[in-house]
Amino acid sequence: MPRLGSWIEPCPEGIYVPAADAWIDPSQAKPRALVTHGHADHARGGHGAVLATPETLAIMATRYGPQNGQPIRYGEGVRLGEVSVRFVPAGHVLGSAQIVLERGSERIVVSGDYKRRPDPTCAPFEPVPCDIFITEATFGLPVFRHPDTGAEVDRLLEALHANPERCVLVGAYALGKAQRLIAELRRRGHHDVIHLHGALERLCALYVELGVDLGELAPVTGLPAAALKGRVVLAPPGALNDRWSRRLPDPITAMASGWMRVRQRARQRNVELPLVVSDHADWDELTATIRELAPQELWVTHGREEALVRWCEMHQIRARALALSGYEDEDD
C-alpha cells in the first residue's frame, strides 16, 4: 500500500506535485507554479505559468511585472492532471491562500503562511480537514503567545496622544503589515491622515485599488517636520534608523511585528515602542489548528520545526520537518 502523501515530493526548492506537474511556492523559476501569497519568499517572478488568487497575481505584477497568470478565486477548483486543486483563504495577507490538493481518497492542504486572528484587510483562515496538513512554524515555540491586536494598537495611540510635539514612526513590512496596521488604526477611531515612506506607497495604493479602505494617506516627501507633529508615519523596518528618519519631529520609534515579543530584537533595532502585531499564528493557534483539522500527518515547511514536531509526537500525530530552503521569518 502506498505511503500517505507519496504523490507529492518535498524538494529543497519547493513542493513538487508530479501528478499535476506543478510546484508550490518554488524558490526557483518553474514551468508551472501554484503560489500561496505575494511575499517574496513564496512568490517569485520568472515562472512559465502561475496559478494564484487574483489579488496575489496583482501583487506579483506590481512587484515583478506582468505574469502569465491563471486567477483562481477562493473556493474555485481546477483539475491539473490527476489532481484536483482548490484555493481557500489563509488569513495571512490580502489574497493569501491555502492550496487544497486531492487525489483519489487523499486530501493534502498546503497552508503557506497563515494566521487565525481577525484582519480587516483579508479573508479569514478557512479550516479544511485533511489527511496531511503542511504548516509553517514561524512562531512555533510556547514562548510566542501574541497579545490582543487592538490592545497593541491602543498603546500606539496612547503614545501618540501623550506626545503631541512628536510623531510615531512605525516600522512595518510593505506587504500586509503596513496595510493591516492602517486598517486597525481606523477601526480604533484614528481617522487623521497617515503618512507613508515612499517604499510603502505602491502596495498601499494597490490594496485600495483592490477594495481595501485605508482612509487618507499621504507621502512624507516634501513636508516640513512641523507638519508631521502628532502624526503616525509608516516606513519599512530598514528605514527606522537611517538618514530618512532624521527629517521627522523627534520620532517615537515603534515596530509592528510578532518578533517584538523578543526584547533583544527590539533593542537591536533601537525600538522605543515594540508592538507585538503578527501576521502568523502563534504557538496556541498553531496547536489549536492542528487539533481542529485532525490530520493523520503534519509536515512543517519552515520556522521552529523541532518544537512543533515534538508536540505532535506527544499527541500521537505523525510529523516531519521538510528540508525546504529560501523561506524567511522576517516578513512578520
Side-chain angles (χ1 to χ4, degrees):
M1 184 175 177
R3 176 181 57 81
L4 187 67
S6 61
W7 48 280
I8 70 171
E9 299 177 4
C11 302
E13 68 267 40
I15 295 170
Y16 182 51
V17 187
D21 192 21
W23 291 79
I24 298 175
D25 289 353
S27 60
Q28 302 170 8
K30 298 293 182 181
R32 179 189 283 158
L34 312 179
V35 176
T36 60
H37 66 282
H39 279 139
D41 57 338
H42 293 256
R44 282 122 171 142
H47 302 304
V50 179
L51 282 72
T53 64
E55 296 85 357
T56 294
L57 289 174
I59 290 165
M60 292 179 70
T62 299
R63 291 187 143 183
Y64 308 123
Q67 305 293 304
N68 181 21
Q70 178 179 346
I72 309 293
R73 297 187 180 279
Y74 291 139
E76 289 183 354
V78 295
R79 186 84 181 177
L80 298 178
E82 302 172 12
V83 181
S84 295
V85 179
R86 184 161 50 97
F87 284 58
V88 299
H92 179 53
V93 297
L94 182 64
S96 62
Q98 304 170 81
I99 299 176
V100 182
L101 308 169
E102 295 183 87
R103 181 175 184 255
S105 61
E106 287 185 19
R107 176 186 291 162
I108 298 174
V109 174
V110 185
S111 64
D113 290 334
Y114 66 97
K115 72 172 176 289
R116 304 302 304 265
R117 304 290 176 96
D119 181 339
T121 68
C122 66
F125 179 93
E126 180 180 314
V128 179
C130 51
D131 300 294
I132 297 176
F133 185 55
I134 302 180
T135 182
E136 58 147 314
T138 301
F139 293 108
L141 289 172
V143 68
F144 291 114
R145 289 182 164 95
H146 304 324
D148 177 71
T149 301
E152 294 297 282
V153 176
D154 284 344
R155 291 177 57 234
L156 189 165
L157 291 172
E158 287 165 8
L160 183 72
H161 297 152
N163 298 275
E165 295 302 307
R166 305 175 70 184
C167 70
V168 177
L169 170 62
V170 189
Y173 288 96
L175 173 57
K177 185 59 59 63
Q179 298 80 21
R180 180 187 178 198
L181 191 60
I182 293 167
E184 294 285 1
L185 283 163
R186 302 311 189 195
R187 291 178 75 180
R188 309 302 281 188
H190 183 75
H191 299 298
D192 293 351
V193 60
I194 294 173
H195 295 276
L196 304 177
H197 184 285
L200 304 185
E201 292 179 35
R202 186 172 54 162
L203 284 171
C204 284
L206 179 63
Y207 264 61
V208 172
E209 183 182 323
L210 294 173
V212 179
D213 183 9
L214 298 178
E216 186 180 358
L217 306 175
V220 171
T221 305
L223 291 177
L228 297 169
K229 290 181 179 180
R231 301 293 190 184
V232 175
V233 178
L234 297 187
L240 290 182
N241 298 301
D242 70 7
R243 274 189 306 179
W244 176 88
S245 66
R246 294 176 193 169
R247 73 184 72 183
L248 304 177
D250 189 19
I252 299 168
T253 303
M255 185 166 172
S257 170
W259 294 112
M260 291 297 98
R261 172 67 75 188
V262 182
R263 293 180 181 178
Q264 180 63 20
R265 294 213 183 197
R267 285 196 295 267
Q268 286 171 347
R269 292 182 177 271
N270 297 316
V271 171
E272 182 179 347
L273 180 63
L275 302 170
V276 184
V277 179
S278 176
D279 287 327
H280 295 262
D282 68 7
W283 174 258
D284 289 336
E285 291 159 347
L286 288 167
T287 55
T289 299
I290 296 166
R291 290 182 187 275
E292 181 179 10
L293 304 184
Q296 295 183 50
E297 292 188 19
L298 186 87
W299 297 2
V300 187
T301 56
H302 64 289
R304 318 291 66 86
E305 300 105 325
E306 298 86 353
L308 197 59
V309 168
R310 177 63 181 146
W311 181 91
C312 287
E313 291 170 349
M314 291 172 62
H315 290 82
Q316 290 73 55
I317 300 168
R318 284 180 160 182
R320 58 184 287 206
L322 307 181
L324 303 186
S325 61
Y327 293 110
E328 302 291 340
D329 291 336
E330 292 298 330
D331 66 357
D332 192 65

